[in-house]
Amino acid sequence: TACLTRNISLVVEEGGSVADSGAANRPPPWGPSAEWHGPYQHGGMFKAVNGGQDALFRPPVVPAVQPGYPIGPTQPGYMVTETGCVVMSSFESMSATLAPEDWSLHSPPMRERNYPCDPIIFSYFGESFDLNQTGPAPFKKHLYLCMLGQALQRKADIESWRSANIWAVLTWQLNEIWPTGGWGSVEYGTPLPGQVMGGRWKPL
């Protein structure tokens, strides 16, 4: 999981009772620095140059209990730097650089420098989608689900961190540097028909 709470020692038993009542006296899990680098939610499952995660991830959730170290306005605040979730761009942006027979998340060009969207879609929306489908309708749907998944992942991470005295988050990254799966918040944009110079904002 890409959630900060993976490193937090507090365990909540089923039903909401706190299993470790002494955890509130422990220091934060990242050491004395006020800055914490990462984490990143990579794509994978479909074999590609940059694919790295070969399993579903557990979508992060907002903890409803004290996270295991002192929090609140009288406690130090922290910052998470360079954290992100990979995502595709819109159909309009990506179709401009692909032949129609390659309008699919699993087409041959998608094996190049790319972070596949499979675990993002499957983790948030279920595993019933056939990402081998080709054509404008399935490609639009799968790209849209991928972008929504990024937005949900970012939302959950940031809400979780804010509940734990992490009040600053630097998202990696602003602009997409190619029209495929990457970290960008703004799509790749060139004069090609369908793309917008400077790029469109993704849903996040």
Side-chain angles (χ1 to χ4, degrees):
T1 176
C3 186
L4 172 65
T5 51
R6 65 182 179 177
N7 292 326
I8 293 176
S9 57
L10 182 64
V11 177
V12 179
E13 298 172 342
E14 187 175 358
S17 61
V18 178
D20 185 353
S21 59
N25 296 320
R26 297 187 181 131
W30 50 80
S33 173
E35 176 185 332
W36 185 47
H37 187 85
Y40 303 98
Q41 180 60 58
H42 294 78
M45 299 180 77
F46 176 70
K47 298 301 180 184
V49 172
N50 281 4
Q53 177 168 313
D54 293 323
L56 301 181
F57 68 94
R58 182 180 176 186
V61 296
V62 180
V65 295
Q66 214 280 344
Y69 54 88
I71 60 172
T74 63
Q75 301 298 324
Y78 302 92
M79 178 178 184
V80 171
T81 63
E82 279 197 31
T83 174
C85 177
V86 296
V87 68
M88 299 293 174
S89 292
S90 68
F91 174 80
E92 289 76 14
S93 177
M94 296 190 63
S95 63
T97 60
L98 291 169
E101 61 267 25
D102 291 324
W103 288 354
S104 170
L105 286 183
H106 285 181
S107 65
M110 304 298 276
R111 296 189 184 275
E112 302 304 321
R113 188 171 177 83
N114 178 39
Y115 287 97
C117 218
D118 300 38
I120 309 296
I121 292 174
F122 292 156
S123 294
Y124 279 101
F125 304 107
E127 300 178 63
S128 63
F129 298 97
D130 180 6
L131 303 185
N132 292 308
Q133 289 181 316
T134 301
F139 198 33
K140 288 177 182 179
K141 177 171 67 176
H142 297 155
L143 292 172
Y144 184 63
L145 290 175
C146 183
M147 291 190 291
L148 284 183
Q150 183 207 37
L152 291 170
Q153 200 272 350
R154 293 286 76 207
K155 177 178 183 291
D157 264 356
I158 292 169
E159 288 177 346
S160 173
W161 294 331
R162 285 178 64 121
S163 72
N165 275 43
I166 298 174
W167 297 321
V169 177
L170 179 63
T171 296
W172 182 262
Q173 63 193 46
L174 176 60
N175 60 305
E176 200 66 81
I177 59 174
W178 52 71
T180 180
W183 304 101
S185 303
V186 176
E187 293 180 344
Y188 184 79
T190 72
L192 285 174
Q195 294 186 355
V196 172
M197 283 295 292
R200 301 177 185 84
W201 278 97
K202 296 177 184 178
L204 89 164

